[in-house]
Amino acid sequence: MTRGTLTTFSIANDVAKYFAIIPAAFATTYPVLNALNIMKLSTPESAILSAVIFNALIIIVLIPLALKGVKYRPVSAVQLLRRHLLIYGVGGLIAPFLGIKLVDMLITAIGWI
């Protein structure tokens, strides 16, 4: 159960990181990819640094969940999948978009990039 929830969150989390890293990595070579910068991150450098910092922070947050585990509930597989997709899938999409943007704003404000 825990492995499934962490995998669901991780896959959803990766989607947001790709929206930060891919436009940043190729923006100078392929300017049309700037359209994928939907988070409006400051610079390509800050986008990549923000994604790396957020990833490091989220791993620290997920360690207690991995160690504690997800509580077993006797429900059907369909109900369990729905619940995990709603909590960990949607949460895995929303949290990184917000987190990466906040880290980008912070590192830009303190002048790291």
Side-chain angles (χ1 to χ4, degrees), residues 2-104:
T2 302
R3 191 176 317 132
T5 59
L6 291 174
T7 301
T8 303
F9 182 86
S10 180
I11 290 170
N13 188 15
D14 288 345
V15 170
K17 287 187 286 191
Y18 294 139
F19 274 98
I21 293 173
I22 289 176
F26 298 106
T28 56
T29 308
Y30 303 105
V32 72
L33 286 179
N34 281 327
L36 292 178
N37 186 6
I38 60 174
M39 289 187 271
K40 302 296 182 213
L41 301 174
S42 302
T43 65
E45 294 83 8
S46 73
I48 293 170
L49 184 59
S50 297
V52 169
I53 291 171
F54 177 79
N55 195 46
L57 294 173
I58 203 70
I59 288 171
I60 293 168
V61 171
L62 291 177
I63 288 173
L65 176 64
L67 292 174
K68 179 182 168 194
V70 175
K71 185 177 179 183
Y72 173 75
R73 293 191 177 131
V75 297
S76 72
V78 171
Q79 289 174 322
L80 184 64
L81 178 62
R82 241 185 241 132
R83 183 178 192 291
H84 284 192
L85 286 175
L86 179 65
I87 294 171
Y88 300 102
V90 173
L93 280 174
I94 294 171
F97 274 99
L98 295 173
I100 291 170
K101 180 62 179 177
L102 289 173
V103 172
D104 179 68

